[in-house]
Amino acid sequence: MRLAVSWGARGLAWARRALGAWGGAVVISGVRGSVWAAVLLLGLGQTSAWQYFVSTLHAHEFRQAAQGSTPERVARMPLVIAVDEDGYRDFFQSRSPLPRDRVLALMQAVQAHTPPQTRIAVNLPVAPGALPDPEQAALDAFWLQQPQRWVLPAWPAEPSVQPGLTQAWREGLCAQGVRFGRPGVPIDFGYPSLSHQFADSQAALLAHDAPHCADPAVPARWQVQPLLPASLEANTVIPFQGDLDLLGQMLDTLAPEAVLIGRMWGPQGLVGTPMGERYEVQVQAAALAGAWSGERMAPPGLAWLAAWGLLSVLWLGMSVLVPWLDRCLRPPSPDMSGHLFLSVRAKPLLIVLCVATCVWAWVALGSAWHAATGYWVSADRACSLVLLSTLLSWNLGRAPVPRYPSPGAAWRHGVWQPVVTAWRSLRAAPAGPWRQREQAWAALALLGQGGLPLAAVAVLLGAGVSGRW
């Protein structure tokens, strides 16, 4: 009994010390990390190189989430009717613009073989062309038979079309209940965005079933609407090669909740994704599947808190690892070149490997969470903070990483005491030829250890209040 009580008391004491040390790491990493967070928010994060790094990281997380998706997460996906090369050649006679009588026949088949509640988005050119087409009126009348079912593409008018004709045609159908959405997808560094879509995209209108008439002349506004990774990897696609009877039989069997009809021939609308090349209609389908399955993106504030949590754990780990490596690699005598080589060259490499392993584990954990719950907490901010801290705060393990027994000790000795010391040196620098230079360095130390963290915290708070995170 006494032994159990003794071990229990030791365990509680160890847990109390560990919790106090972690609290100290939270304080010191919060102060130092706020500077790097402000640097990312105001400067470095706006550069093309850093945004490309974030885009690449998002693609890796997206692929990992797709690999870990469960069947329950992909049970509800829209249907894509893909007009491929054969369909374009055999059914539409390879004509451009598409013959309106052929478009009408395809739409009639889809409407006849889908349930009345099925919503249908069309990603094919159906607006009036430059030359009069006698079948255009019949196609426009068809949309008005069941206007609530259709979401037509809001494409800009072609230069050869009479000015104002396309807009008048679109507004006339909108007044009768036909909806229009943007058929394209937002592009980020040559790739479609995985986390955002246009607010008035066809996928957004199908997801929320709200009346809307998108105007392509108005600048597009992005909104958070993550794609479903499993849907982008393998959409439910019916290739249409011109056989309307076969298409009708497949639609009768599937009874889809929503249908997207789009082109899948030629290079137009083909974009690169983490799963390979996909057409824009497939990306729209993945966005709709994401909205149906509850895909969500963590708000920036929560992502920053997660990043600081990882940084504080790594700070605590570095405060143990760096002194241990110093003890192991310290040469017994100054003339031992092997020990000196390991201490100077191998120690930074070991630090980088440890940090990279922790970041990889963090990304893998976040991807598994995303696959299981649909809640995406991106690791871009965490990776950025850890990378800057490793390079600048820890200097690849060359700089000492202090460990404090409690949050109060971290504040007193890691934050307040350096500021007080710098202030005293600024006010009472010793007389001599080096006085002015010492005062200049003391002022710089005071600014770096006191002014910059306070300014960074103010910037982050202001960004959080204004929503610029």
Side-chain angles (χ1 to χ4, degrees):
M1 184 65 181
R2 292 181 178 178
L3 182 61
V5 172
S6 175
W7 279 104
R10 292 181 181 180
L12 288 176
W14 181 89
R16 189 180 299 109
R17 289 195 301 270
L19 187 60
W22 179 72
V26 168
V27 171
I28 192 65
S29 63
V31 173
R32 305 283 177 84
S34 63
V35 177
W36 308 135
V39 169
L40 285 171
L41 190 65
L42 296 179
L44 189 59
Q46 307 302 319
T47 62
S48 298
W50 206 265
Q51 291 177 10
Y52 181 77
F53 162 74
V54 171
S55 177
T56 304
L57 180 61
H58 283 182
H60 174 75
E61 293 177 317
F62 200 81
R63 284 193 298 268
Q64 294 296 316
Q67 294 174 3
S69 296
T70 59
E72 294 79 10
R73 297 281 305 145
V74 298
R76 188 183 179 194
M77 289 199 293
L79 176 67
V80 176
I81 299 178
V83 182
D84 59 12
E85 295 278 0
D86 294 335
Y88 178 58
R89 182 187 64 246
D90 299 335
F91 188 75
F92 291 108
Q93 293 89 44
S94 300
R95 290 170 56 187
S96 180
L98 301 179
R100 295 303 187 254
D101 58 338
R102 300 276 81 194
V103 175
L104 177 59
L106 175 59
M107 301 306 155
Q108 287 174 334
V110 174
Q111 178 174 279
H113 293 277
T114 51
Q117 67 274 14
T118 299
R119 300 297 180 258
I120 309 167
V122 181
N123 198 335
L124 297 173
V126 295
L131 299 177
D133 190 332
E135 300 297 335
Q136 183 69 45
L139 181 60
D140 294 342
F142 169 76
W143 305 128
L144 299 179
Q145 293 177 9
Q146 299 182 26
Q148 75 282 356
R149 299 188 65 180
W150 297 96
V151 179
L152 301 185
W155 269 319
E158 298 180 2
S160 58
V161 177
Q162 179 183 351
L165 177 61
T166 302
Q167 182 178 358
W169 168 81
R170 185 173 59 250
E171 291 176 352
L173 291 179
C174 282
Q176 301 295 322
V178 180
R179 294 180 293 166
F180 281 79
R182 296 181 189 267
V185 296
I187 301 298
D188 191 11
F189 286 96
Y191 298 95
S193 175
L194 304 174
S195 57
H196 290 72
Q197 292 297 307
F198 294 135
D200 52 0
S201 67
Q202 290 185 312
L205 299 186
L206 289 175
H208 304 296
D209 201 20
H212 192 84
C213 190
D215 186 357
V218 177
R221 181 175 62 86
W222 293 24
Q223 71 176 9
V224 178
Q225 188 173 350
L227 309 182
L228 181 65
S231 178
L232 190 62
E233 184 177 32
N235 295 114
T236 305
V237 179
I238 295 180
F240 176 66
Q241 300 175 338
D243 191 336
L244 292 177
D245 293 333
L246 178 60
L247 176 63
Q249 294 174 11
M250 300 183 71
L251 290 175
D252 290 336
T253 302
L254 295 173
E257 185 176 353
V259 176
L260 294 93
I261 309 172
R263 58 173 293 161
M264 290 181 64
W265 77 85
Q268 183 177 348
L270 188 63
V271 294
T273 73
M275 281 70 178
E277 291 185 330
R278 297 290 188 272
Y279 282 90
E280 289 181 342
V281 65
Q282 295 175 286
V283 179
Q284 292 261 7
L288 177 57
W292 281 351
S293 61
E295 288 286 311
R296 303 174 307 284
M297 196 82 180
L302 180 59
W304 279 116
L305 288 177
W308 263 307
L310 174 63
L311 182 60
S312 64
V313 172
L314 281 178
W315 193 290
L316 182 59
M318 288 297 108
S319 68
V320 176
L321 178 62
V322 171
W324 180 79
L325 288 177
D326 288 337
R327 291 193 300 269
C328 293
L329 302 177
R330 182 184 298 116
S333 62
D335 59 346
M336 291 186 174
S337 59
H339 282 75
L340 290 174
F341 173 80
L342 289 176
S343 179
V344 174
R345 302 299 181 186
K347 178 183 172 184
L349 180 60
L350 292 175
I351 294 296
V352 169
L353 290 177
C354 290
V355 171
T357 301
C358 293
V359 169
W360 174 84
W362 180 263
V363 173
L365 181 62
S367 299
W369 176 264
H370 180 198
T373 66
Y375 197 72
W376 188 0
V377 184
S378 178
D380 53 355
R381 293 171 177 83
C383 292
S384 303
L385 281 183
V386 169
L387 178 59
L388 289 176
S389 297
T390 303
L391 293 176
L392 302 176
S393 293
W394 304 332
N395 192 17
L396 299 178
R398 298 186 182 95
V401 184
R403 179 175 52 177
Y404 302 101
S406 67
W411 177 262
R412 288 191 303 272
H413 302 291
V415 180
W416 182 250
Q417 189 61 40
V419 173
V420 172
T421 303
W423 174 250
R424 289 174 179 172
S425 182
L426 177 63
R427 294 188 59 188
W434 299 95
R435 177 182 175 85
Q436 292 183 349
R437 185 172 299 182
E438 169 59 24
Q439 289 180 331
W441 290 124
L444 184 61
L446 183 63
L447 176 64
Q449 298 179 98
L452 282 181
L454 291 177
V457 170
V459 168
L460 294 176
L461 291 177
V465 172
S466 62
R468 291 188 293 110
W469 263 351

